[in-house]
Structure formats: structure tokens, C-alpha cells
Amino acid sequence: MKRPYSYIAGTGHAVPARVVTNDDIAAMGLETNDAWIIERTGIRQRHIAAPGESLTSLCAEASRQAMAKAGVQPGEIDTIICGTASPDHLLPSQAVEVQTALGCSRAAAFDVASACSGWLYGAIVGDSMIASGAADTVLVIGAEKLSAIVDWTDRNTCILFADGAGATVLRRAKGEKKDRGILSTFMRSDGALAELLWRPAGGGAEPYSADAATGKRHFIHMAGREVFKHAVRSMAEATDRALDTARITAADVDLLIPHQATIRIIEATAKHAGISMEKVFVNVDRFGNTSAASIPIALNDAMEQGRVKEGSTVLFAAFGAGFTWGSLVVRF
């Protein structure tokens, strides 16, 4: 069976109503300001969940939008894959909580813990399941509530991360859809570099404790400069491999939708790929870095703006903690 195996039939996204600006963060007493944050990250604001607002509710809202656009009922979903590093609970998976909220009673549901690459990894798994015949309709979600695991006194991380969810419905490419869909996939990882971006405590190796809380070891810790270097290098590899496998060039790409990490990483990725910034979708300024949610949020945003339409060829690339990285080429 030749590609494409599956196509993206519907998209959706949801973010908390509360908006936190750079001035709001500066007012918390951190040594930063709006100009400093914009210069280094390109971020002007981010959406932050209110107390009691769950990741499940965001996932469900985004999923309902995607399912409605795809014309899919809850009973038609075979599999739910949720990419997240900040689930509502460590047990059970975020995906089964979303399954219950949506009423997808016949679906298998599981999480993919690949940080910022979570949605992309999930899409590759979903595409593979459809190719193998294990599923016909797969709901792939990328979602984060990073505000719950960020140290709001650490300006190196709290200025970056935000909350939100994005969802896509993958369906088998057949009939009139057989000429569009996922044309190529690529993913890699390197666990040797895990401690450059991680949460030291809170898992089985170092359970949450009073000592961990005092040392803030249950929050995200990041070596920013090292992460930047590896992100640029890895996303460059990802774009090269995806284009080669799809047997297309940068000139054939109508839009690049990269992980919305920072504007500097986005610009470096586009430069390496040979794609002008006019053909790069950027919304990190409005949403911040929502990790696994950033690409599906950006995709839905781009579609609502008319930047992605029938016939568009779109390149996706992501890099996240692990380290993990990967890419997709999709014809819509």
C-alpha cells in the first residue's frame, strides 16, 4: 500500500480564557520586561488555565471541534492518542479521561509522553495504525497545562510556557481522498540529553516530597542555551528527512508549521529549510510555547485564517524534551 495511508479530516483547538501578558509577568516581581521577552522569544502573551480548569476540558473542547469538522461521531473513533507532558493525573492516562468526556466508548485510548513532539509522534502512530488496518479513524490530541509544572519565579521558563489543546482527526485515505494526506514521516530521540530539559522529581525515581518541593525539583528545569542549539540542529534534520522521503523540495512547500518554541528557533529552522518567513506560520506571539499542543493549535489557527486550504502542502517539524524530534509532510 502506497502513501498516503491517512489524511487530516478535521482540526480544532481550545485555550483558557485567561490571558497573561509580558507586563503581567513583569509585575510579578521578576527581573524582566515586555521588550526583553519579545526580543528573546517573540512571545507577547500566553493563555493560562484558571484554578480548577482541567486539561481534560480543553482536550474535549478541541476534540469536539475537530470531530464536527470531520463529520465524525463519538462511536466512530477507533483510537484516541494524547500527547502531553502535563496530564491531569499520572494515573490513569489523559487519553482515557478525554475518552470518557467525549463518550467514545469503543475507542482504545493512550498517551504519548514525547513533550513538544507529542502531537507529531501521536500523528505518526495514528497514521501507522491506519496503514496496518488496526484503525480507520484516529483522534490525535496535543495538550498541555504547563502552568501547573512551571516555577513562576524562574524567568527562564515561566515566560515561555503556556496552556492549551489542539486536536486532529485522522481517517483512512480512500476514494476521492487517496491523493491527499500524510506523505512522509520522520522521528528520532536522544535520551542521553534528558537532563537539559526535565522535571527531576515527581516520578518513581524521585517521588514528590517536602524536600523536592523546597528545592523546586518538581518543576521544569531547562538549560536554555544548550536546548536552543540542539533544537535548531534537530529540527533542521527533521525538515531535511521529511522533504527527502516525500520526494519534494522546499519550493514545493506551501506552508511550514513548526513547533512554536521561540521565534529564534522558528527562524533558524526556516532558514535551514530554505523556506522564507512569508511561508512560515507563527503564532507563538499570541499563544506562547504550548509544547505538544503548539502544532495542532497552529494548524487549526492557520486553517481558520485561510493559510491552509485544499491542495496545500504543509511541512510540520517539532523538537522537545527527551530529546525527541520529528516531522511530517501533509497534502491537504
Short mmCIF file of all heavy atoms in Angstrom, two decimals, residues 3-12 66 69-70 119-120 123 140 167-171 173 176-184 246 248 252-258 279 281 295-304 306-317 327-332:
data_model
loop_
_atom_site.label_atom_id
_atom_site.label_comp_id
_atom_site.label_asym_id
_atom_site.label_seq_id
_atom_site.Cartn_x
_atom_site.Cartn_y
_atom_site.Cartn_z
N ARG A 3 1.67 5.41 0.12
CA ARG A 3 1.17 6.60 0.79
C ARG A 3 0.35 7.44 -0.17
O ARG A 3 0.60 7.42 -1.38
CB ARG A 3 2.34 7.43 1.34
CG ARG A 3 2.96 6.83 2.59
CD ARG A 3 3.90 7.83 3.24
NE ARG A 3 4.48 7.31 4.45
CZ ARG A 3 3.87 7.34 5.64
NH1 ARG A 3 2.67 7.87 5.74
NH2 ARG A 3 4.46 6.85 6.69
N PRO A 4 -0.60 8.25 0.39
CA PRO A 4 -0.89 8.40 1.82
C PRO A 4 -1.82 7.32 2.35
O PRO A 4 -2.72 6.85 1.66
CB PRO A 4 -1.56 9.76 1.88
CG PRO A 4 -2.22 9.91 0.55
CD PRO A 4 -1.33 9.23 -0.43
N TYR A 5 -1.58 6.93 3.59
CA TYR A 5 -2.45 5.99 4.28
C TYR A 5 -3.63 6.71 4.93
O TYR A 5 -4.73 6.19 5.00
CB TYR A 5 -1.69 5.24 5.37
CG TYR A 5 -0.39 4.60 4.94
CD1 TYR A 5 0.78 4.81 5.67
CD2 TYR A 5 -0.34 3.80 3.82
CE1 TYR A 5 1.97 4.21 5.28
CE2 TYR A 5 0.86 3.20 3.42
CZ TYR A 5 2.01 3.42 4.16
OH TYR A 5 3.18 2.84 3.77
N SER A 6 -3.35 7.91 5.45
CA SER A 6 -4.38 8.65 6.17
C SER A 6 -4.32 10.12 5.84
O SER A 6 -3.29 10.63 5.36
CB SER A 6 -4.21 8.46 7.68
OG SER A 6 -3.03 9.08 8.14
N TYR A 7 -5.43 10.81 6.08
CA TYR A 7 -5.46 12.26 5.87
C TYR A 7 -6.07 12.93 7.09
O TYR A 7 -6.74 12.29 7.92
CB TYR A 7 -6.26 12.61 4.61
CG TYR A 7 -7.75 12.37 4.70
CD1 TYR A 7 -8.63 13.42 4.97
CD2 TYR A 7 -8.29 11.10 4.51
CE1 TYR A 7 -10.00 13.21 5.06
CE2 TYR A 7 -9.66 10.88 4.59
CZ TYR A 7 -10.50 11.94 4.87
OH TYR A 7 -11.86 11.73 4.96
N ILE A 8 -5.82 14.23 7.24
CA ILE A 8 -6.36 15.01 8.35
C ILE A 8 -7.74 15.49 7.94
O ILE A 8 -7.89 16.34 7.05
CB ILE A 8 -5.43 16.18 8.71
CG1 ILE A 8 -4.09 15.64 9.23
CG2 ILE A 8 -6.09 17.07 9.78
CD1 ILE A 8 -3.06 16.71 9.54
N ALA A 9 -8.76 14.94 8.60
CA ALA A 9 -10.15 15.21 8.23
C ALA A 9 -10.76 16.37 9.00
O ALA A 9 -11.77 16.93 8.56
CB ALA A 9 -10.99 13.95 8.44
N GLY A 10 -10.20 16.71 10.15
CA GLY A 10 -10.75 17.79 10.96
C GLY A 10 -9.76 18.27 11.99
O GLY A 10 -8.92 17.49 12.45
N THR A 11 -9.85 19.53 12.35
CA THR A 11 -8.94 20.13 13.34
C THR A 11 -9.73 20.98 14.32
O THR A 11 -10.84 21.44 14.03
CB THR A 11 -7.88 21.03 12.67
OG1 THR A 11 -8.54 22.15 12.04
CG2 THR A 11 -7.09 20.26 11.63
N GLY A 12 -9.15 21.21 15.49
CA GLY A 12 -9.76 22.09 16.48
C GLY A 12 -8.75 22.49 17.53
O GLY A 12 -7.72 21.83 17.68
N ALA A 66 -12.81 19.31 16.18
CA ALA A 66 -12.19 18.50 15.13
C ALA A 66 -13.16 17.44 14.62
O ALA A 66 -13.25 17.19 13.41
CB ALA A 66 -10.90 17.85 15.65
N LYS A 69 -15.91 19.01 12.39
CA LYS A 69 -15.41 19.36 11.05
C LYS A 69 -15.20 18.11 10.20
O LYS A 69 -15.36 18.14 8.98
CB LYS A 69 -14.11 20.15 11.17
CG LYS A 69 -14.28 21.54 11.75
CD LYS A 69 -12.94 22.22 11.95
CE LYS A 69 -13.09 23.54 12.67
NZ LYS A 69 -11.77 24.17 12.97
N ALA A 70 -14.81 17.00 10.86
CA ALA A 70 -14.59 15.75 10.14
C ALA A 70 -15.90 14.99 9.89
O ALA A 70 -15.90 14.00 9.14
CB ALA A 70 -13.62 14.86 10.92
N TRP A 119 2.27 15.66 19.82
CA TRP A 119 1.22 15.54 18.79
C TRP A 119 1.80 14.90 17.53
O TRP A 119 1.17 14.02 16.92
CB TRP A 119 0.62 16.90 18.44
CG TRP A 119 -0.33 16.78 17.27
CD1 TRP A 119 -1.64 16.40 17.33
CD2 TRP A 119 -0.02 16.96 15.88
NE1 TRP A 119 -2.17 16.34 16.05
CE2 TRP A 119 -1.20 16.67 15.15
CE3 TRP A 119 1.14 17.33 15.19
CZ2 TRP A 119 -1.25 16.76 13.75
CZ3 TRP A 119 1.10 17.41 13.80
CH2 TRP A 119 -0.09 17.12 13.09
N LEU A 120 2.99 15.32 17.15
CA LEU A 120 3.60 14.79 15.93
C LEU A 120 3.86 13.28 16.05
O LEU A 120 3.54 12.51 15.15
CB LEU A 120 4.89 15.55 15.63
CG LEU A 120 5.47 15.39 14.23
CD1 LEU A 120 6.15 16.67 13.79
CD2 LEU A 120 6.46 14.23 14.19
N ALA A 123 0.55 11.57 15.78
CA ALA A 123 0.06 11.52 14.41
C ALA A 123 0.76 10.41 13.62
O ALA A 123 0.12 9.72 12.81
CB ALA A 123 0.27 12.86 13.73
N VAL A 140 -6.18 12.39 17.34
CA VAL A 140 -4.84 12.69 17.86
C VAL A 140 -4.88 14.07 18.51
O VAL A 140 -5.22 15.06 17.85
CB VAL A 140 -3.78 12.65 16.76
CG1 VAL A 140 -2.39 12.88 17.35
CG2 VAL A 140 -3.82 11.32 16.01
N ALA A 167 -6.45 19.42 18.48
CA ALA A 167 -6.89 18.07 18.12
C ALA A 167 -7.03 17.92 16.62
O ALA A 167 -7.35 18.89 15.91
CB ALA A 167 -8.22 17.75 18.80
N THR A 168 -6.78 16.72 16.14
CA THR A 168 -6.95 16.39 14.73
C THR A 168 -7.59 15.02 14.61
O THR A 168 -7.33 14.13 15.43
CB THR A 168 -5.60 16.36 13.98
OG1 THR A 168 -4.67 15.54 14.71
CG2 THR A 168 -5.01 17.74 13.84
N VAL A 169 -8.42 14.85 13.60
CA VAL A 169 -8.99 13.55 13.29
C VAL A 169 -8.31 13.02 12.04
O VAL A 169 -8.31 13.68 10.99
CB VAL A 169 -10.51 13.64 13.05
CG1 VAL A 169 -11.06 12.29 12.56
CG2 VAL A 169 -11.23 14.06 14.32
N LEU A 170 -7.69 11.83 12.17
CA LEU A 170 -7.10 11.14 11.01
C LEU A 170 -8.08 10.08 10.52
O LEU A 170 -8.63 9.32 11.32
CB LEU A 170 -5.78 10.46 11.40
CG LEU A 170 -4.63 11.31 11.91
CD1 LEU A 170 -3.39 10.44 12.11
CD2 LEU A 170 -4.32 12.45 10.95
N ARG A 171 -8.26 10.02 9.21
CA ARG A 171 -9.12 8.99 8.62
C ARG A 171 -8.38 8.31 7.47
O ARG A 171 -7.44 8.87 6.89
CB ARG A 171 -10.43 9.58 8.11
CG ARG A 171 -11.21 10.35 9.16
CD ARG A 171 -12.69 10.44 8.84
NE ARG A 171 -13.37 9.17 9.15
CZ ARG A 171 -14.67 8.98 9.00
NH1 ARG A 171 -15.43 9.96 8.51
NH2 ARG A 171 -15.24 7.83 9.31
N ALA A 173 -7.26 7.19 4.01
CA ALA A 173 -7.29 7.83 2.69
C ALA A 173 -7.78 6.81 1.67
O ALA A 173 -7.14 5.80 1.42
CB ALA A 173 -5.90 8.32 2.31
N GLU A 176 -12.00 9.43 -3.14
CA GLU A 176 -11.58 10.75 -3.61
C GLU A 176 -10.50 11.36 -2.73
O GLU A 176 -9.91 12.39 -3.08
CB GLU A 176 -12.78 11.68 -3.68
CG GLU A 176 -13.33 12.17 -2.35
CD GLU A 176 -14.24 11.16 -1.66
OE1 GLU A 176 -14.34 10.02 -2.16
OE2 GLU A 176 -14.85 11.53 -0.64
N LYS A 177 -10.21 10.74 -1.54
CA LYS A 177 -9.21 11.29 -0.62
C LYS A 177 -7.84 10.62 -0.79
O LYS A 177 -6.89 10.98 -0.10
CB LYS A 177 -9.66 11.10 0.83
CG LYS A 177 -11.08 11.56 1.13
CD LYS A 177 -11.26 13.04 0.96
CE LYS A 177 -12.66 13.47 1.41
NZ LYS A 177 -12.91 14.90 1.17
N LYS A 178 -7.72 9.65 -1.69
CA LYS A 178 -6.50 8.84 -1.73
C LYS A 178 -5.28 9.60 -2.23
O LYS A 178 -4.16 9.11 -2.11
CB LYS A 178 -6.73 7.60 -2.59
CG LYS A 178 -6.99 7.88 -4.07
CD LYS A 178 -7.25 6.58 -4.81
CE LYS A 178 -7.52 6.83 -6.30
NZ LYS A 178 -7.80 5.58 -7.02
N ASP A 179 -5.48 10.78 -2.80
CA ASP A 179 -4.33 11.55 -3.29
C ASP A 179 -3.89 12.63 -2.32
O ASP A 179 -3.01 13.43 -2.61
CB ASP A 179 -4.65 12.18 -4.64
CG ASP A 179 -5.80 13.19 -4.55
OD1 ASP A 179 -6.56 13.12 -3.56
OD2 ASP A 179 -5.92 14.01 -5.46
N ARG A 180 -4.50 12.67 -1.12
CA ARG A 180 -4.07 13.65 -0.13
C ARG A 180 -3.92 12.99 1.23
O ARG A 180 -4.53 11.96 1.51
CB ARG A 180 -5.04 14.83 -0.06
CG ARG A 180 -6.44 14.51 0.45
CD ARG A 180 -7.32 15.74 0.31
NE ARG A 180 -8.69 15.52 0.75
CZ ARG A 180 -9.20 16.00 1.87
NH1 ARG A 180 -8.43 16.70 2.70
NH2 ARG A 180 -10.46 15.78 2.19
N GLY A 181 -3.10 13.59 2.07
CA GLY A 181 -2.86 13.02 3.39
C GLY A 181 -1.40 13.12 3.78
O GLY A 181 -0.65 13.98 3.28
N ILE A 182 -0.97 12.23 4.67
CA ILE A 182 0.41 12.25 5.18
C ILE A 182 1.32 11.59 4.17
O ILE A 182 1.21 10.39 3.89
CB ILE A 182 0.47 11.54 6.55
CG1 ILE A 182 -0.37 12.30 7.57
CG2 ILE A 182 1.92 11.43 7.02
CD1 ILE A 182 -0.45 11.63 8.93
N LEU A 183 2.24 12.38 3.60
CA LEU A 183 3.12 11.90 2.54
C LEU A 183 4.43 11.33 3.06
O LEU A 183 5.04 10.48 2.40
CB LEU A 183 3.43 13.04 1.56
CG LEU A 183 2.24 13.73 0.90
CD1 LEU A 183 2.72 14.79 -0.08
CD2 LEU A 183 1.34 12.72 0.19
N SER A 184 4.88 11.80 4.22
CA SER A 184 6.13 11.28 4.79
C SER A 184 6.16 11.56 6.28
O SER A 184 5.52 12.50 6.77
CB SER A 184 7.36 11.91 4.13
OG SER A 184 7.48 13.28 4.46
N ALA A 246 9.40 12.47 1.18
CA ALA A 246 8.22 12.83 0.38
C ALA A 246 8.59 13.10 -1.08
O ALA A 246 7.70 13.28 -1.93
CB ALA A 246 7.53 14.05 0.97
N ILE A 248 10.04 15.77 -2.35
CA ILE A 248 9.74 17.13 -2.74
C ILE A 248 10.86 18.04 -2.25
O ILE A 248 11.74 17.62 -1.49
CB ILE A 248 8.39 17.61 -2.18
CG1 ILE A 248 8.43 17.65 -0.64
CG2 ILE A 248 7.25 16.74 -2.67
CD1 ILE A 248 7.17 18.27 -0.01
N ASP A 252 8.31 23.25 -3.06
CA ASP A 252 7.00 22.62 -3.17
C ASP A 252 6.14 22.83 -1.92
O ASP A 252 4.95 22.49 -1.93
CB ASP A 252 7.16 21.11 -3.40
CG ASP A 252 7.91 20.80 -4.67
OD1 ASP A 252 7.54 21.37 -5.72
OD2 ASP A 252 8.86 19.99 -4.62
N VAL A 253 6.73 23.35 -0.86
CA VAL A 253 6.03 23.53 0.40
C VAL A 253 5.26 24.86 0.38
O VAL A 253 5.83 25.91 0.12
CB VAL A 253 7.01 23.51 1.60
CG1 VAL A 253 6.31 23.86 2.89
CG2 VAL A 253 7.68 22.15 1.69
N ASP A 254 3.97 24.77 0.64
CA ASP A 254 3.15 25.98 0.70
C ASP A 254 3.23 26.66 2.06
O ASP A 254 3.11 27.88 2.16
CB ASP A 254 1.69 25.65 0.39
CG ASP A 254 1.51 25.13 -1.03
OD1 ASP A 254 1.89 25.85 -1.97
OD2 ASP A 254 1.03 23.99 -1.19
N LEU A 255 3.43 25.84 3.12
CA LEU A 255 3.49 26.42 4.47
C LEU A 255 4.29 25.50 5.38
O LEU A 255 4.13 24.28 5.34
CB LEU A 255 2.08 26.60 5.03
CG LEU A 255 1.95 27.45 6.29
CD1 LEU A 255 2.29 28.91 6.00
CD2 LEU A 255 0.54 27.36 6.86
N LEU A 256 5.17 26.09 6.17
CA LEU A 256 5.88 25.39 7.24
C LEU A 256 5.20 25.73 8.56
O LEU A 256 5.05 26.91 8.90
CB LEU A 256 7.35 25.82 7.28
CG LEU A 256 8.16 25.41 8.52
CD1 LEU A 256 8.26 23.90 8.65
CD2 LEU A 256 9.56 26.05 8.49
N ILE A 257 4.76 24.70 9.28
CA ILE A 257 4.19 24.90 10.62
C ILE A 257 5.11 24.19 11.61
O ILE A 257 5.01 22.98 11.81
CB ILE A 257 2.76 24.35 10.74
CG1 ILE A 257 1.85 25.04 9.71
CG2 ILE A 257 2.22 24.58 12.16
CD1 ILE A 257 0.39 24.59 9.78
N PRO A 258 6.05 24.93 12.21
CA PRO A 258 6.97 24.33 13.18
C PRO A 258 6.40 24.39 14.59
O PRO A 258 5.44 25.14 14.86
CB PRO A 258 8.21 25.22 13.07
CG PRO A 258 7.63 26.58 12.78
CD PRO A 258 6.37 26.34 11.96
N LYS A 279 6.33 32.09 4.25
CA LYS A 279 5.68 30.78 4.12
C LYS A 279 5.78 29.98 5.42
O LYS A 279 5.64 28.76 5.41
CB LYS A 279 6.31 30.00 2.96
CG LYS A 279 6.05 30.63 1.60
CD LYS A 279 6.85 29.96 0.50
CE LYS A 279 6.45 28.52 0.28
NZ LYS A 279 7.18 27.92 -0.87
N PHE A 281 4.22 29.65 9.33
CA PHE A 281 3.13 30.09 10.20
C PHE A 281 3.65 30.28 11.61
O PHE A 281 4.26 29.38 12.19
CB PHE A 281 1.98 29.08 10.20
CG PHE A 281 0.75 29.62 10.89
CD1 PHE A 281 -0.09 30.50 10.24
CD2 PHE A 281 0.46 29.27 12.20
CE1 PHE A 281 -1.22 31.02 10.88
CE2 PHE A 281 -0.65 29.78 12.85
CZ PHE A 281 -1.50 30.67 12.17
N ILE A 295 1.70 22.63 17.71
CA ILE A 295 1.49 22.39 16.29
C ILE A 295 0.01 22.24 15.95
O ILE A 295 -0.48 22.87 15.01
CB ILE A 295 2.33 21.20 15.78
CG1 ILE A 295 3.81 21.59 15.71
CG2 ILE A 295 1.85 20.74 14.41
CD1 ILE A 295 4.73 20.50 15.19
N PRO A 296 -0.76 21.41 16.69
CA PRO A 296 -2.18 21.33 16.32
C PRO A 296 -2.95 22.63 16.54
O PRO A 296 -3.89 22.93 15.80
CB PRO A 296 -2.71 20.20 17.19
CG PRO A 296 -1.75 20.07 18.32
CD PRO A 296 -0.43 20.43 17.73
N ILE A 297 -2.56 23.43 17.55
CA ILE A 297 -3.17 24.75 17.71
C ILE A 297 -2.83 25.62 16.50
O ILE A 297 -3.70 26.29 15.93
CB ILE A 297 -2.70 25.44 19.01
CG1 ILE A 297 -3.35 24.79 20.23
CG2 ILE A 297 -3.05 26.94 18.99
CD1 ILE A 297 -2.85 25.33 21.56
N ALA A 298 -1.56 25.61 16.09
CA ALA A 298 -1.13 26.42 14.95
C ALA A 298 -1.81 25.96 13.66
O ALA A 298 -2.19 26.79 12.82
CB ALA A 298 0.38 26.36 14.80
N LEU A 299 -1.97 24.64 13.49
CA LEU A 299 -2.64 24.14 12.29
C LEU A 299 -4.08 24.62 12.21
O LEU A 299 -4.53 25.12 11.17
CB LEU A 299 -2.60 22.61 12.28
CG LEU A 299 -3.44 21.93 11.19
CD1 LEU A 299 -3.03 22.37 9.80
CD2 LEU A 299 -3.35 20.41 11.33
N ASN A 300 -4.81 24.50 13.30
CA ASN A 300 -6.20 24.95 13.29
C ASN A 300 -6.29 26.46 13.08
O ASN A 300 -7.14 26.95 12.33
CB ASN A 300 -6.90 24.56 14.58
CG ASN A 300 -8.40 24.79 14.52
OD1 ASN A 300 -9.08 24.22 13.67
ND2 ASN A 300 -8.92 25.64 15.40
N ASP A 301 -5.38 27.20 13.70
CA ASP A 301 -5.31 28.65 13.55
C ASP A 301 -5.04 29.01 12.08
O ASP A 301 -5.69 29.89 11.51
CB ASP A 301 -4.21 29.20 14.46
CG ASP A 301 -4.29 30.70 14.67
OD1 ASP A 301 -5.31 31.31 14.31
OD2 ASP A 301 -3.31 31.26 15.21
N ALA A 302 -4.10 28.30 11.47
CA ALA A 302 -3.75 28.55 10.06
C ALA A 302 -4.92 28.24 9.13
O ALA A 302 -5.17 28.97 8.16
CB ALA A 302 -2.54 27.71 9.67
N MET A 303 -5.65 27.18 9.43
CA MET A 303 -6.80 26.83 8.60
C MET A 303 -7.90 27.87 8.73
O MET A 303 -8.54 28.25 7.74
CB MET A 303 -7.31 25.44 8.96
CG MET A 303 -6.29 24.34 8.67
SD MET A 303 -6.94 22.67 8.77
CE MET A 303 -7.80 22.55 7.19
N GLU A 304 -8.12 28.35 9.95
CA GLU A 304 -9.15 29.38 10.16
C GLU A 304 -8.78 30.68 9.47
O GLU A 304 -9.67 31.44 9.07
CB GLU A 304 -9.35 29.60 11.66
CG GLU A 304 -10.04 28.43 12.36
CD GLU A 304 -10.23 28.64 13.85
OE1 GLU A 304 -9.59 29.57 14.41
OE2 GLU A 304 -11.01 27.89 14.47
N GLY A 306 -7.20 30.76 6.62
CA GLY A 306 -7.13 30.50 5.19
C GLY A 306 -5.73 30.27 4.67
O GLY A 306 -5.50 30.24 3.46
N ARG A 307 -4.77 30.05 5.59
CA ARG A 307 -3.39 29.79 5.16
C ARG A 307 -3.20 28.34 4.71
O ARG A 307 -2.24 28.04 4.00
CB ARG A 307 -2.41 30.08 6.32
CG ARG A 307 -2.40 31.52 6.81
CD ARG A 307 -1.66 32.45 5.86
NE ARG A 307 -0.29 32.07 5.61
CZ ARG A 307 0.74 32.40 6.40
NH1 ARG A 307 0.53 33.08 7.52
NH2 ARG A 307 1.98 32.04 6.07
N VAL A 308 -4.07 27.45 5.15
CA VAL A 308 -4.07 26.06 4.70
C VAL A 308 -5.42 25.79 4.06
O VAL A 308 -6.45 26.00 4.68
CB VAL A 308 -3.84 25.07 5.86
CG1 VAL A 308 -3.91 23.63 5.36
CG2 VAL A 308 -2.49 25.32 6.52
N LYS A 309 -5.40 25.31 2.83
CA LYS A 309 -6.64 25.03 2.11
C LYS A 309 -6.46 23.77 1.29
O LYS A 309 -5.37 23.16 1.28
CB LYS A 309 -7.02 26.22 1.22
CG LYS A 309 -5.93 26.64 0.26
CD LYS A 309 -6.21 28.01 -0.36
CE LYS A 309 -6.01 29.13 0.65
NZ LYS A 309 -6.14 30.48 0.05
N GLU A 310 -7.48 23.33 0.60
CA GLU A 310 -7.39 22.12 -0.19
C GLU A 310 -6.29 22.26 -1.24
O GLU A 310 -6.22 23.26 -1.96
CB GLU A 310 -8.73 21.83 -0.88
CG GLU A 310 -8.77 20.48 -1.58
CD GLU A 310 -10.15 20.11 -2.05
OE1 GLU A 310 -11.12 20.80 -1.67
OE2 GLU A 310 -10.27 19.12 -2.80
N GLY A 311 -5.42 21.26 -1.28
CA GLY A 311 -4.29 21.28 -2.21
C GLY A 311 -3.00 21.77 -1.60
O GLY A 311 -1.93 21.62 -2.20
N SER A 312 -3.05 22.38 -0.40
CA SER A 312 -1.83 22.89 0.25
C SER A 312 -0.92 21.74 0.67
O SER A 312 -1.39 20.71 1.17
CB SER A 312 -2.19 23.72 1.48
OG SER A 312 -2.90 24.88 1.14
N THR A 313 0.38 21.94 0.49
CA THR A 313 1.38 21.01 1.00
C THR A 313 2.05 21.66 2.20
O THR A 313 2.63 22.75 2.08
CB THR A 313 2.44 20.67 -0.07
OG1 THR A 313 1.80 20.03 -1.18
CG2 THR A 313 3.51 19.74 0.49
N VAL A 314 1.94 21.01 3.37
CA VAL A 314 2.40 21.60 4.62
C VAL A 314 3.46 20.72 5.25
O VAL A 314 3.32 19.49 5.32
CB VAL A 314 1.22 21.79 5.61
CG1 VAL A 314 1.70 22.41 6.91
CG2 VAL A 314 0.13 22.65 4.97
N LEU A 315 4.53 21.36 5.71
CA LEU A 315 5.62 20.68 6.42
C LEU A 315 5.52 21.01 7.90
O LEU A 315 5.42 22.18 8.28
CB LEU A 315 6.97 21.16 5.86
CG LEU A 315 8.24 20.76 6.61
CD1 LEU A 315 8.42 19.25 6.64
CD2 LEU A 315 9.47 21.43 5.96
N PHE A 316 5.51 19.97 8.73
CA PHE A 316 5.48 20.13 10.18
C PHE A 316 6.81 19.64 10.76
O PHE A 316 7.33 18.60 10.32
CB PHE A 316 4.36 19.30 10.81
CG PHE A 316 2.97 19.64 10.34
CD1 PHE A 316 2.43 19.01 9.23
CD2 PHE A 316 2.19 20.58 11.00
CE1 PHE A 316 1.15 19.30 8.80
CE2 PHE A 316 0.91 20.88 10.58
CZ PHE A 316 0.39 20.24 9.47
N ALA A 317 7.33 20.35 11.76
CA ALA A 317 8.56 19.90 12.42
C ALA A 317 8.49 20.26 13.90
O ALA A 317 8.02 21.35 14.26
CB ALA A 317 9.79 20.55 11.79
N SER A 327 9.06 15.02 12.09
CA SER A 327 8.46 15.86 11.04
C SER A 327 7.42 15.08 10.26
O SER A 327 7.41 13.85 10.26
CB SER A 327 9.54 16.39 10.10
OG SER A 327 10.33 15.31 9.60
N LEU A 328 6.55 15.82 9.60
CA LEU A 328 5.52 15.29 8.70
C LEU A 328 5.44 16.18 7.48
O LEU A 328 5.62 17.40 7.58
CB LEU A 328 4.15 15.30 9.36
CG LEU A 328 3.82 14.44 10.58
CD1 LEU A 328 2.43 14.84 11.08
CD2 LEU A 328 3.85 12.98 10.21
N VAL A 329 5.12 15.60 6.33
CA VAL A 329 4.66 16.36 5.18
C VAL A 329 3.24 15.90 4.89
O VAL A 329 2.98 14.70 4.78
CB VAL A 329 5.56 16.14 3.94
CG1 VAL A 329 4.95 16.84 2.73
CG2 VAL A 329 6.97 16.67 4.19
N VAL A 330 2.33 16.86 4.79
CA VAL A 330 0.91 16.55 4.59
C VAL A 330 0.38 17.35 3.41
O VAL A 330 0.60 18.56 3.32
CB VAL A 330 0.08 16.87 5.85
CG1 VAL A 330 -1.39 16.51 5.63
CG2 VAL A 330 0.63 16.13 7.06
N ARG A 331 -0.34 16.67 2.53
CA ARG A 331 -1.08 17.37 1.47
C ARG A 331 -2.56 17.43 1.85
O ARG A 331 -3.17 16.40 2.14
CB ARG A 331 -0.93 16.65 0.13
CG ARG A 331 -1.67 17.39 -1.01
CD ARG A 331 -1.60 16.64 -2.34
NE ARG A 331 -0.22 16.55 -2.79
CZ ARG A 331 0.40 15.39 -3.07
NH1 ARG A 331 -0.24 14.25 -2.90
NH2 ARG A 331 1.63 15.39 -3.50
N PHE A 332 -3.12 18.62 1.91
CA PHE A 332 -4.49 18.80 2.35
C PHE A 332 -5.46 18.80 1.15
O PHE A 332 -5.07 18.90 0.03
CB PHE A 332 -4.62 20.12 3.12
CG PHE A 332 -4.06 20.00 4.52
CD1 PHE A 332 -2.69 20.15 4.75
CD2 PHE A 332 -4.88 19.73 5.58
CE1 PHE A 332 -2.17 20.02 6.03
CE2 PHE A 332 -4.37 19.62 6.88
CZ PHE A 332 -3.01 19.75 7.09
#
